[in-house]
Structures are given as C-alpha cells and as structure tokens.
Amino acid sequence: MGLYAAAAAVLAGVESRQGSLKGLVYSSNFQNLKQLYALVCETQRYSAVLDAVIASAGLLRAEKKLRPHLAKVLVYELLLGKGFRGGGGRWKALLGRHQARLKAELARLKVHRGVSRNEDLLQESSRPGQAYQVPRFVRVNTLKTRPEDAIDYFKRQGFSYQGRASSLEDLRALKGQHFLLDPLLPELLVFPAQTDLHEHPLYRAGHLILQDKASCLPAMLLSPPPGSHVIDACAAPGNKTSYIAALLKNQGKIFAFDQDAKRLAAMATLVARAGVSCCELAEKDFLTVSPSDQRYSQVQYILLDPSCSGSGMLSRQLEEHGEGTPSKERLQALAGFQQRALCHALRFPSLQRLVYSTCSLCQEENEDVVQEALQHNSGTFRLAPVLPTWPHRGLSTFPGSEHCLRASPETTLTGGFFIAVFERAEVPSPTDRCNGSRTSQPSPKEKEKTQSSSWCQHAAKHIGTECPTASRTMLTVGTLLFWEGKMMSWHSVSLTGPSPTSHEFFASQIKGKLTSMTDHSFIFNDISKNNLTFILKISATLTGTQSVVGSPSLPVPVQREHGQMCSHTEATPGCLRRGPGYRPAVELR
C-alpha cells in the first residue's frame, strides 16, 4: 500500500472510530510511520478546508471512482503540502486534470473569508497553538555519533549553531536556521518549531532520534550505568529504549516488553537502525513476567511508561478529534492498569530504581497512582528528589509529591508529561507488599534501620555491587563493607543467616569474597550493641584478633550524592572514606 492510500485508510478509521490516529498509524503496514503520521495529522487539521475546496471544484463528481478520504489526502498534498512525493504516479496525473480548478477554489475561499494565508483558513481550534510553539528536539544517538559531530554536520548544511541555551527564553527565540544545545541534556539539539527533519540523512541513518525533551527525561533520570540489567516494561515504539541503550553504551542488557505485535515490529526496525545491540524484545504482557524468574534476577532498573490517556500529547486534538477530556470510566480503567503495572514492577527483588512516566495530564493517572504505590510499599520504596530546579512539579495531593515532575508547553516548552522516580529505601523483604494491603508507619527504630540500609545501597551502587536481600525470618547481625588492598576494591556482604547460627557461618561468607587474608579494612554497619560480641567473634575467626576501633553508636558516614570522595583527613558527614586514615563506626583490622 502506498503513502496516500495508507493515509486515506487511517483517516477512514479515525472517522469510523476504529481507533486513535496514532494507533491506526502503527497498526498499518506502511514502512515510514513518521511520514505517514505527519501527512495524516496535517490532512486532518485542514479537513474542513479541504472538504469545502473539493466540493466547490466538483472533484468527486468528476472522478466517481475516487474515494473521499483519498481525495482529501491528495488535494492536501497538491495545494497545502510538499507536492507529490516520489513522482506521485497515477495520482499526480489524475489531480493534474483538476489542478487549475482546485487552486482557483482555494483562492476564492481565501477571498470570501478575507484572509491571505492558508493557516488563516483554519478554525480557531485547529490553528497552530501550543504544539507549534514547542521547539523541535533532536536527540543525538551517541551509539553512532557524537553531539559535536552532528553539530558540525548541520553547520556545513547552513544552520547557525548558537551554543548551549541558558534559559527557556533562548529556546522560544529560535527561528530560521538557528539551533541550540539543550541546557539540561548534553545530547539534545533544539531547532525552531516545525523544523522537519524526517528526510534528513542523519535521521534516516539512525544518527538522530526525533524525540521530545520530556520523553527523554525518563531514561535520563533512570540513568543505568554500563553493564546494568534494565527492564523497559511497555517499550514500543522504542525511543526511550534506544536512549537507555545509549546510556548503557550497549553494555548490559535491556529486556523490552510490549504485547502489541505490530508496534513491536516497528520498534525492532527503530532499534536496529539506532544500532542497539543489548536489547531483547519480547511480545509479552509485562504483568505476566515473573519477578522470580532468574533471567531478571540482576535487574536493578525499570522504566515503566504504561498505556495512558495521552492527554498531554501535542497532537491530542488530532488523534481523538472532538472527544476532549477522557471520560471518568476510561481514566479509572487506565489508572487501574497503571497501578497494577507499577505495583508489579516494584516486586522485582533486585530493583533499586524505577521511573514511572506518562504522557497524561490527569491526576488520576499520575499523582494518584504514585501515592497508591507508595502506600502499598511504605518504607521499602520512596520518591527520589530529582531535578530540583525543574520549574513544574507534581500536584500537591500528598506529602512528597513535589518530588514528581510535570511538563507542559507553557511551563517547559515540551509536550505534556509526568515523571516519578522511585528508589529503594531499605533492604528488600520476601513479603509481597503489593497485594493491596496498607502498611503502618515505621517505628523510630525501623526508620533508623531504613536510613542505614539506604547508606548500604548508596555505597554498593558506587562500588558496583549490591546489598544482598535480608529476610526478616533470618538473623541479621550487620552489613559489612570492606576494602581489599591487594585488589584495590570494595566489597559488600550482608551478614544474614538462618537463626540460630554461628559466627563461623558469617566468617565463611566473608572469606568467600577475599583473594587473600591480608591487607584488609573492614567496616560493619547496622550493628546493635547486642551483636557487638558476635562481631568480635567473627573478627577473631577472620584475623586472629578481636581489636575494634570506633563506637557502634557513631553514625556511619555515607557517600555524597554527587559521588565526591573525602580526603584521608576529612571526617565530615556525607562522606564515604576509602583506604586507611579514617575510623568508621566499627572497623576491624
């Protein structure tokens, strides 16, 4: 099926309410979905104008075999679009017989309405508004090229590079052939609104990804380091997946799920063109993926961008023409699915960080879903405070909602979007906390333990390991973080075993991590006074001595959030010390 026939089929499907415009585009068999989507959107926008011109020119009376929707697409391309692409074939010849009459009728309509531009013919609701004020964001695919190389390419094409933007006003002022580097994302280029790069050679070769800035934020905030295992739970069409792969530098593993076969096929084409080699695509409902499956035992990062109402999408008025705000029933159904998907994602045992995002503006799909998930996982997961200078925050519907991010054309010059970043706040429990039961507020002792476990997670993330699962039916005497001088590396061991157990059991756990029994510095955490004697016995088994430096009541310093490490003489809160010269809470030498 050719471009014009495919566009006509989508328009007919939208009119008969067979689905949304975007859904019908993705379910088509047309190869260039971006091209098809752009043509259908513009034809739909000028629908009333095209109907008037076609009727006045008598086109359908003269060409009885020409279907109305196809006629509308062809007339748009002839009068308002870029002309017939690829020669136009028989359609160009057919419309050529009526070209003079069609142009005359368009001119007559302008005179009748007292306007001179095509856009002035549009009804107020269809005129370029917020969608056309938003700049064209272009992400440089760092799997294939560097931002500076892409900038040089555009400069050689006659574009004028204006450097890194310093404010939203810089983006609003863009016009002509000028472009900027985004102030937040170092691989995001910004062009004036309506800049069309669908036929650009760098885009066609996969060096550029046409992706709105708000859509880039979830992967950027997930920020998995190279080598990580990541789940993209509702992955199609694949732009976010390709960005995750770029952040991973194709090192690690992405498990990408989507249950729509046609969308997944289109995604396979996109990720292949982008040079993604670390992604495993699966036609599967994420809710059927078992968190206990060993294939996902190392997954520490999950991106969840579930199906939503799309109320924040810039093309919303075109995709669901005239429907307005989603119905209460639809919002309830969507929110129910979103809550189940989020709750399911939080059950993965090694999960450390999850980004939940939607392209919806509705509280029911955003803050309400997040609040429910937090209540079901109280003390286990919390909202991470991200991008403190971002101007648009979550609605004030629950304590901590200010950690959520919102985006809109008015406040951030992007599409409408919502993002919440979950991070683990304590060592995971085997108990399923996502079964709908509410948990009580933690006691002061539980809060202290949560903070201490969070220290372990921060430290473990820095040294490239993790804090092992500590079952509540097990005996936990502490968490050991130790520096091995010979290997110049940190190790982490959660001192957890069946109760009752002996100190030899824990000593054997530690020995299993060592390459030699010399040149070590041991740091114990989460140690109560009752367990100090037990720790001394472990020390004696490991080193032959029970020497302990420090006090178990002294707070254990943690790594600073931005990764700075303290000097050997510094002993201030917010630091994780490496090597000799510092005495942590309980240190065995």
Side-chain angles (χ1 to χ4, degrees):
M1 183 182 292
L3 171 63
Y4 303 120
V10 171
L11 288 174
V14 172
E15 187 173 296
S16 60
R17 297 191 179 275
Q18 296 176 13
S20 69
L21 186 151
K22 196 167 190 176
L24 291 170
V25 167
Y26 274 107
S27 64
S28 71
N29 293 320
F30 192 72
Q31 185 175 5
N32 192 333
L33 297 179
K34 296 280 189 181
Q35 184 185 35
L36 176 61
Y37 182 71
L39 177 59
V40 174
C41 283
E42 286 303 291
T43 303
Q44 179 82 321
R45 194 161 69 99
Y46 280 93
S47 180
V49 175
L50 295 169
D51 284 339
V53 171
I54 290 170
S56 299
L59 178 62
L60 297 179
R61 292 194 302 272
E63 301 290 345
K64 298 187 182 299
K65 293 184 179 181
L66 186 61
R67 299 289 183 180
H69 294 103
L70 180 57
K72 191 179 294 187
V73 172
L74 295 173
V75 172
Y76 168 80
E77 193 76 316
L78 175 69
L79 300 181
L80 306 170
K82 297 183 177 180
F84 291 102
R85 310 174 194 194
R90 62 191 180 103
W91 302 124
K92 183 177 181 180
L94 186 149
L95 265 291
R97 297 197 294 267
H98 304 277
Q99 181 173 350
R101 181 67 184 272
L102 289 167
K103 288 185 174 180
E105 290 301 330
L106 178 63
R108 186 177 290 110
L109 184 62
K110 289 180 181 177
V111 171
H112 177 71
R113 296 190 182 179
V115 299
S116 59
R117 301 185 308 157
N118 292 334
E119 288 182 352
D120 293 334
L121 291 170
L122 295 172
Q123 297 177 1
E124 191 66 33
S125 61
S126 299
R127 288 183 183 173
Q130 294 174 345
Y132 287 82
Q133 297 168 6
V134 172
R136 163 62 73 186
F137 292 99
V138 180
R139 178 169 62 81
V140 176
N141 178 14
T142 54
L143 291 176
K144 287 197 165 186
T145 191
R146 302 181 304 167
E148 49 266 37
D149 293 334
I151 290 171
D152 287 341
Y153 191 99
F154 279 110
K155 288 164 68 175
R156 291 196 301 270
Q157 287 191 314
F159 286 86
S160 176
Y161 178 54
Q162 304 296 300
R164 183 183 292 274
S166 59
S167 67
L168 289 179
E169 293 306 317
D170 292 342
L171 305 186
R172 287 192 180 96
L174 276 176
K175 59 183 179 180
Q177 294 285 93
H178 293 177
F179 73 107
L180 291 160
L181 190 64
D182 184 76
L184 180 63
L185 281 76
E187 57 276 286
L188 197 64
L189 306 180
V190 192
F191 292 81
Q194 302 185 58
T195 301
D196 188 359
L197 298 173
H198 287 92
E199 301 301 322
H200 195 279
L202 290 184
Y203 167 73
R204 296 175 69 88
H207 292 248
L208 301 178
I209 308 292
L210 305 184
Q211 186 174 6
D212 184 70
K213 178 177 179 176
S215 177
C216 293
L217 291 178
M220 185 271 283
L221 292 172
L222 189 65
S223 192
S228 301
H229 284 204
V230 183
I231 284 179
D232 192 347
C234 305
N239 281 341
K240 298 181 186 69
T241 313
S242 68
Y243 194 6
I244 293 173
L247 294 170
L248 291 175
K249 300 179 181 178
N250 262 340
Q251 301 169 22
K253 191 75 172 179
I254 302 173
F255 300 97
F257 302 102
D258 204 282
Q259 58 182 338
D260 189 312
K262 292 184 177 179
R263 282 169 58 87
L264 203 63
M267 176 180 173
T269 301
L270 184 149
V271 296
R273 186 175 63 202
V276 176
S277 61
C278 63
C279 184
E280 179 182 299
L281 301 182
E283 183 185 342
K284 196 170 186 178
D285 182 353
F286 173 63
L287 290 174
T288 67
V289 178
S290 173
S292 61
D293 191 321
Q294 284 303 303
R295 285 178 295 176
Y296 315 120
S297 61
Q298 298 182 57
V299 170
Q300 293 184 303
Y301 301 88
I302 294 181
L303 175 60
L304 177 61
D305 188 73
S307 299
C308 69
S309 65
S311 55
M313 296 175 65
L314 298 175
S315 54
R316 167 77 177 169
Q317 70 276 18
L318 297 175
E319 294 190 23
E320 299 183 23
H321 196 63
E323 289 190 6
T325 304
S327 67
K328 182 177 180 180
E329 293 75 16
R330 186 178 181 222
L331 283 177
Q332 287 178 341
L334 287 167
F337 163 73
Q338 292 153 358
Q339 177 59 42
R340 290 193 301 274
L342 178 54
C343 197
H344 183 68
L346 292 174
R347 292 177 56 213
F348 281 76
S350 297
L351 179 66
Q352 297 300 316
R353 193 173 182 89
L354 178 147
V355 173
Y356 173 80
S357 63
T358 74
C359 53
S360 169
L361 302 177
C362 302
Q363 175 185 324
E364 294 88 342
E365 301 178 89
N366 298 330
E367 287 87 358
D368 290 356
V369 169
V370 170
Q371 182 181 14
E372 192 78 8
L374 288 171
Q375 290 173 336
H376 288 170
N377 293 272
S378 176
T380 306
F381 285 93
R382 62 189 174 198
L383 289 180
V386 294
L387 300 184
T389 60
W390 188 259
H392 197 172
R393 316 303 295 189
L395 302 178
S396 300
T397 59
F398 64 92
S401 64
E402 69 276 4
H403 296 324
C404 300
L405 305 181
R406 279 180 168 261
S408 69
E410 300 88 351
T411 59
T412 58
L413 285 183
T414 67
F417 225 79
F418 173 87
I419 303 170
V421 180
F422 290 77
E423 64 179 6
R424 190 174 289 280
E426 71 171 10
V427 177
S429 164
T431 304
D432 181 6
R433 305 184 66 113
C434 256
N435 56 10
S437 61
R438 301 296 177 89
T439 57
S440 59
Q441 291 295 318
S443 66
K445 288 186 177 180
E446 289 174 329
K447 288 182 178 179
E448 182 179 355
K449 181 176 180 180
T450 296
Q451 293 170 355
S452 184
S453 298
S454 177
W455 167 84
C456 180
Q457 299 296 346
H458 276 287
K461 182 176 180 181
H462 179 77
I463 63 178
T465 181
E466 62 184 68
C467 292
T469 301
S471 169
R472 293 182 180 178
T473 63
M474 309 278 273
L475 171 65
T476 301
V477 299
T479 302
L480 171 68
L481 181 68
F482 61 90
W483 168 259
E484 187 170 6
K486 183 177 180 180
M487 301 299 293
M488 296 296 290
S489 61
W490 285 97
H491 299 279
S492 174
V493 176
S494 178
L495 300 181
T496 302
S499 179
T501 191
S502 66
H503 58 274
E504 288 89 350
F505 174 87
F506 294 107
S508 65
Q509 281 187 309
I510 299 170
K511 285 181 179 179
K513 288 275 188 176
L514 304 180
T515 58
S516 70
M517 288 304 299
T518 59
D519 196 15
H520 299 100
S521 181
F522 299 94
I523 301 174
F524 287 91
N525 188 40
D526 289 349
I527 300 171
S528 68
K529 294 182 179 179
N530 294 334
N531 286 329
L532 183 56
T533 302
F534 200 76
I535 291 293
L536 293 176
K537 291 181 179 180
I538 298 174
S539 168
T541 304
L542 285 172
T543 65
T545 177
Q546 292 188 1
S547 61
V548 178
V549 182
S551 165
S553 61
L554 180 68
V556 177
V558 300
Q559 178 194 353
R560 290 196 180 113
E561 283 194 4
H562 299 292
Q564 301 98 324
M565 306 303 293
C566 308
S567 67
H568 282 212
T569 57
E570 187 179 5
T572 58
C575 298
L576 173 64
R577 292 305 314 281
R578 288 188 181 221
Y582 175 66
R583 297 294 182 263
V586 178
E587 181 175 339
L588 307 179
R589 285 189 179 272

